[in-house]
Amino acid sequence: MGETIWEEYCEQLKASMIVYFSRALADAIASGAPQSTIDHYSTKLHFVDFRDNLMLRADAPQQGLIFSMWPEWWDRDLSGTAGDAPYELRFPVPYASNSTLSVYAEWQFDSAWGAALDGPVTIRGTTAGHAGDALVVEGLADVHEYSMSIQATGTETFMGVEYAPDFEIHWKMSLNEGEPPWESVGTSSNVLYVTHAEPLVDELYLTLVHVGSKAAAGSVAKQAIFDGIWEKSAGLAIHQAKLDVSSWDVSEWRVLSYWGAGIDTQTGGSTASLLQHGDGRCQTWANFFVDFVQAQGIAGYQVIVVPPLPNATHLLVKNWEFIGNGSFAQEPIGALGFKYSLIDPPDGGDYPNDDLNKIGGIPAQGNDNPRSIFANHALVVYSASGQTRYYDPSYGLGPYDTLGDWGIDALAGSAIIGGQHPDLPPGHVQFAVKKLLGSSS
């Protein structure tokens, strides 16, 4: 019995001394005395859970992970750094422009310090490492015996498209009703993305936000944002984004490609398919570009499919050399202009024939010399206020005022599919090709 009373007395004395020395130190600092380096109470930032932010998904190789389902900064071992121990987290944080920073954060004490407090604890978080003015969240802590937490929303908003790889919140605590002195109680750090507006896509993948917000960072106007995204697309080297779980940074992984696997290129036309396989056809790239723009909350862009020209079954994309008058010049089909024989081997590789020589295709996404004969081709069109512009995301071509302008830049000819060539092994298909004006000869 006496031992129990003694233990209770010691705990009460310990708590009283913590309060006494905490207030004494605060008074000393307020009066200008040098601040002691002694940690008079051990208050460790445990986690920061961002609220009212966008639902961002990882794509391959972590496909399916939704970052906002977990605290985006989680320091399980209370070392002061999230991500340096197993099962810790430091996820990217996405917000839309004109939204406010909102968080739920928790701290842990190494003793029953919370039970000794008889006054309010004010927590303030101030942002750093991003564009614009610092944002502030502040609130009274919900204090428990061994922990405290706050849920607070700032008053200022994020403005403009932003990519901030070192977005920090510096946390401080006041025991003096929100007045100085303020004691540091940790710093959280994340990658921050801010989109132009609420995204218009069903699934917001990391690559869409990382590449788009990085390409348009600092822009506010819709046209400037689109121009930044198109410039990146026209560069033909879009890297897929990946969260590196060793450093918790977002790294730029493989270059996404167009027809990189030849005839084995995936036929799925979705952004999810492109991010899963790293490669896609024209429909996939057109859909990806529209999602790219709509991830920034910008509407008005849609995918169209360009069919073959009249009397043809296929399109022939540049560049080709047309030799002589063509094998079909004297045939009935030659009278329609389809004079040149083209053999398409089953592997979709080089074309062994006498009438056309491929002299290097138009460079495409991640592929300097892709396949060049197609049954159709997908483009993206923008129509608003009487203006129509055409874009070819697969080849980074555009914008064009008319489809004809695109055809002059992109097409070498049109073709009619015949069938199995009688003098070649199975799978070799023969086309009759009509040369378009402006093509090589």
Side-chain angles (χ1 to χ4, degrees):
M1 182 68 175
E3 182 178 347
T4 302
I5 294 174
W6 174 250
E7 289 176 350
E8 291 177 354
Y9 171 77
C10 289
E11 285 299 318
Q12 291 174 4
L13 179 61
K14 180 181 178 182
S16 297
M17 293 301 290
I18 289 172
V19 174
Y20 172 79
F21 284 115
S22 297
R23 290 180 175 172
L25 181 60
D27 291 341
I29 294 171
S31 63
Q35 183 171 351
S36 171
T37 59
I38 298 174
D39 190 11
H40 55 285
Y41 46 78
S42 181
T43 304
K44 302 292 187 180
L45 181 60
H46 184 206
F47 67 79
V48 180
D49 186 11
F50 291 84
R51 303 293 175 90
D52 301 328
N53 55 331
L54 305 176
M55 186 176 290
L56 182 63
R57 296 173 177 268
D59 40 75
Q62 299 139 340
Q63 203 147 4
L65 173 63
I66 301 175
F67 298 123
S68 58
M69 292 183 65
W70 304 87
E72 287 88 346
W73 192 94
W74 197 348
D75 181 15
R76 288 174 177 263
D77 66 355
L78 304 178
S79 67
T81 302
D84 62 347
Y87 309 109
E88 294 189 345
L89 303 176
R90 191 161 64 86
F91 286 157
V93 177
Y95 276 94
S97 187
N98 295 310
S99 62
T100 55
L101 178 66
S102 182
V103 298
Y104 178 83
E106 182 189 274
W107 289 259
Q108 291 190 357
F109 311 135
D110 65 351
S111 63
W113 181 68
L117 289 173
D118 59 359
V121 177
T122 306
I123 300 292
R124 176 183 294 170
T126 305
T127 64
H130 67 107
D133 297 332
L135 307 180
V136 177
V137 289
E138 183 174 317
L140 293 178
D142 182 16
V143 180
H144 300 276
E145 189 174 11
Y146 286 94
S147 67
M148 66 178 178
S149 62
I150 66 161
Q151 181 167 342
T153 299
T155 55
E156 301 87 356
T157 60
F158 293 102
M159 294 298 294
V161 178
E162 190 172 344
Y163 162 66
D166 298 304
F167 175 68
E168 295 181 339
I169 303 181
H170 299 285
W171 298 97
K172 294 184 177 182
M173 173 179 68
S174 167
L175 302 177
N176 191 26
E177 298 182 348
E179 298 296 330
W182 290 89
E183 298 292 326
S184 176
V185 285
T187 298
S188 57
S189 177
N190 298 81
V191 177
L192 170 73
Y193 302 106
V194 181
T195 62
H196 169 69
E198 287 287 331
L200 302 175
V201 294
D202 293 331
E203 294 184 328
L204 187 64
Y205 289 106
L206 177 60
T207 294
L208 294 175
V209 176
H210 175 80
V211 180
S213 292
K214 190 174 181 180
S219 299
V220 177
K222 283 197 298 185
Q223 188 60 54
I225 294 164
F226 175 82
D227 290 346
I229 292 174
W230 176 248
E231 182 180 355
K232 180 62 179 178
S233 298
L236 305 180
I238 295 178
H239 288 80
Q240 186 170 3
K242 179 179 70 172
L243 182 67
D244 185 341
V245 294
S246 61
S247 66
W248 294 98
D249 295 324
V250 177
S251 61
E252 295 184 348
W253 185 34
R254 60 187 176 184
V255 175
L256 301 174
S257 62
Y258 171 71
W259 279 88
I263 60 173
D264 294 325
T265 297
Q266 294 292 320
T267 58
S270 67
T271 292
S273 174
L274 177 62
L275 297 177
Q276 180 180 355
H277 301 287
D279 186 37
R281 305 186 181 196
C282 62
Q283 183 82 34
T284 303
W285 273 98
N287 287 331
F288 175 74
F289 181 70
V290 170
D291 284 350
F292 210 175
V293 177
Q294 292 190 154
Q296 295 294 327
I298 299 175
Y301 296 84
Q302 60 180 339
V303 176
I304 63 169
V305 176
V306 180
L309 300 177
N311 300 317
T313 61
H314 285 70
L315 301 168
L316 191 67
V317 176
K318 291 181 176 179
N319 290 297
W320 295 83
E321 180 185 17
F322 291 78
I323 302 173
N325 293 322
S327 300
F328 301 134
Q330 305 304 318
E331 302 289 336
I333 199 170
L336 297 175
F338 297 91
K339 301 176 182 181
Y340 299 89
S341 172
L342 171 64
I343 306 301
D344 186 16
D347 63 0
D350 294 332
Y351 302 87
N353 58 81
D354 293 328
D355 291 353
L356 289 97
N357 287 330
K358 192 175 183 184
I359 55 176
I362 299 176
Q365 299 288 350
N367 189 348
D368 290 337
N369 191 19
R371 181 172 172 80
S372 298
I373 189 163
F374 308 104
N376 53 48
H377 190 66
L379 302 177
V380 172
V381 61
Y382 171 78
S383 297
S385 303
Q387 180 188 41
T388 300
R389 307 298 294 274
Y390 297 90
Y391 298 84
D392 188 342
S394 300
Y395 297 97
L397 298 175
Y400 299 102
D401 292 330
T402 69
L403 279 176
D405 293 337
W406 165 78
I408 291 171
D409 271 4
L411 299 181
S414 59
I416 296 176
I417 189 169
Q420 167 66 41
H421 193 283
D423 300 326
L424 293 173
H428 287 73
V429 178
Q430 187 173 31
F431 289 86
V433 178
K434 179 178 182 179
K435 176 183 172 184
L436 298 183
L437 293 176
S439 297
S440 301
S441 59

